[in-house]
Amino acid sequence: MLKICFLFAQFLEETEAKMPQEQYAHRSTMQTSEGPQVYKVGIYGWRKRCLYFFVLLLMILILVNLAMTIWILKVMNFTIDGMGNLRITDKGLKLEGDSEFLKPLYAKEIRSRPGNPLYFQSARNVTVNILNEKTKVLTRLVTGPQAVEAHSQKFEVKTLSGKLLFSADDNEVVVGAERLRVLGAEGTVFPKSIETPNVRADPFKELRLESPTRALVMEAPKGIEINAEAGSLKATCRTELRLESKDGEITLNSAKIKLPNLPQGSSSSAGSRQKIYELCVCPNGRLFLSQAGASSTCQINTSVCL
């Protein structure tokens, strides 16, 4: 641009040098025909000064514009690879440092540098939407200040090998882990039924099944087994404890069977102090003890069955 201005000024000087010759030729022609008359052709006086002023002003504007351009390139860190922390690579755009997006961001893939974490930060929430061809939301993940919400037809959690750990949909919730541990102090509350092949406590911990206000029912088509290998088994109730077998039998298999609180019938002889009793059964199934004698004494104490 400076070269153009220099050439333009040189052109003006050559034009002024040629002006006297043209004026002399024109003056001689006019003297022979009509007398001595002089006509000045060119730029003289204030017009010439204004022209030089505008040329000088144009040069100043060009220099200022060039300086501003260089300053903007320096401040914005413009290079042949990109601008600032934004770099243009063969695989796409590479952004280094913290970034702020004021409007939606559309991208096929977002990932961090190898070995560095990727952070998403927002003053309110972060929403991730999966759309179809008709821009309808199929899956949505919302992380807000109060909760993390996932909206989809099915939710799955898998290991790196592809094994299912957790799955949830409208019909069921599946836990695929080998062991489900509940660490809450109040345990686990199931408002409805639960189906499981095994209920077991941790080693050296107690297992407690409780229904505070309703009944506790355990059902299995092929049997229920309750086993305490290293301890005792205790069943306590307030009113009645009933053991019932419709088609089979009830077996009490132990070296010792104690029934400490069975009622005793009246003694046949007042002075007898023997500690041997006879176990009797009433017609209604009630058990009671009667002092043993030479023969059966159950018929004598039938008043206990009333």
Side-chain angles (χ1 to χ4, degrees):
M1 186 64 67
L2 294 175
K3 187 176 181 180
I4 295 175
C5 295
F6 179 75
L7 294 176
F8 181 71
Q10 188 176 5
F11 173 75
L12 292 177
E13 293 178 357
E14 293 178 355
T15 305
E16 291 178 358
K18 294 180 180 180
M19 282 299 176
Q21 298 178 1
E22 295 177 356
Q23 293 175 3
Y24 179 77
H26 183 71
R27 188 181 305 167
S28 60
T29 305
M30 295 300 295
Q31 288 177 357
T32 55
S33 59
E34 299 179 358
Q37 295 182 2
V38 179
Y39 294 94
K40 294 182 179 181
V41 179
I43 301 176
Y44 295 96
W46 63 272
R47 294 184 181 88
K48 183 178 180 179
R49 289 191 294 270
C50 289
L51 178 61
Y52 281 114
F53 174 76
F54 283 118
V55 171
L56 181 61
L57 181 62
L58 181 61
M59 292 176 62
I60 295 174
L61 292 178
I62 291 173
L63 293 176
V64 172
N65 190 10
L66 182 60
M68 291 294 293
T69 304
I70 296 174
W71 180 76
I72 292 174
L73 293 176
K74 184 65 177 178
V75 172
M76 300 300 294
N77 195 13
F78 276 97
T79 61
I80 58 175
D81 296 329
M83 178 186 68
N85 296 328
L86 184 63
R87 295 291 183 267
I88 301 174
T89 61
D90 298 336
K91 298 181 180 180
L93 297 178
K94 181 180 179 181
L95 188 60
E96 299 178 354
D98 298 336
S99 304
E100 182 179 357
F101 299 95
L102 302 179
K103 293 185 178 181
L105 173 64
Y106 299 92
K108 181 180 180 181
E109 181 181 0
I110 301 176
R111 62 181 181 180
S112 64
R113 292 184 299 178
N116 294 330
L118 178 63
Y119 295 98
F120 290 95
Q121 184 177 358
S122 175
R124 294 186 178 180
N125 56 30
V126 177
T127 304
V128 180
N129 294 331
I130 307 299
L131 309 178
N132 58 4
E133 295 81 1
K134 299 180 180 179
T135 65
K136 183 180 180 181
V137 178
L138 299 179
T139 303
R140 174 179 296 174
L141 178 63
V142 181
T143 58
Q146 301 295 333
V148 177
E149 300 179 1
H151 303 267
S152 63
Q153 296 181 356
K154 190 174 183 179
F155 179 76
E156 292 183 353
V157 178
K158 295 184 179 180
T159 61
L160 295 177
S161 60
K163 182 181 178 181
L164 181 65
L165 295 180
F166 181 83
S167 175
D169 56 13
D170 294 339
N171 298 324
E172 62 180 0
V173 176
V174 179
V175 179
E178 297 180 357
R179 178 181 297 181
L180 175 62
R181 300 185 61 185
V182 180
L183 303 179
E186 298 296 331
T188 306
V189 179
F190 299 96
K192 295 185 179 180
S193 62
I194 176 175
E195 298 180 7
T196 176
N198 187 10
V199 178
R200 181 177 60 185
D202 289 339
F204 308 105
K205 300 292 183 178
E206 294 183 357
L207 175 64
R208 184 174 182 179
L209 303 178
E210 180 182 359
S211 178
T213 58
R214 295 292 185 271
L216 178 62
V217 180
M218 293 186 292
E219 297 181 356
K222 293 186 178 181
I224 297 176
E225 180 180 355
I226 302 176
N227 186 13
E229 296 181 354
S232 60
L233 179 63
K234 182 179 179 181
T236 305
C237 65
R238 183 174 294 276
T239 56
E240 296 182 358
L241 177 63
R242 180 177 299 177
L243 301 177
E244 181 180 354
S245 178
K246 295 181 179 180
D247 299 330
E249 60 184 11
I250 297 176
T251 301
L252 301 177
N253 186 7
S254 177
K256 296 179 180 180
I257 299 177
K258 295 182 179 181
L259 302 174
N261 296 325
L262 288 178
Q264 297 182 11
S266 59
S267 176
S268 59
S269 59
S272 177
R273 295 181 179 181
Q274 62 178 355
K275 299 297 182 181
I276 300 174
Y277 293 89
E278 182 180 0
L279 182 62
C280 304
V281 182
C282 297
N284 58 3
R286 185 177 183 181
L287 300 178
F288 67 94
L289 298 178
S290 178
Q291 282 189 348
S295 60
S296 176
T297 58
C298 292
Q299 295 180 356
I300 301 174
N301 297 287
T302 55
S303 59
V304 181
C305 299
L306 300 177

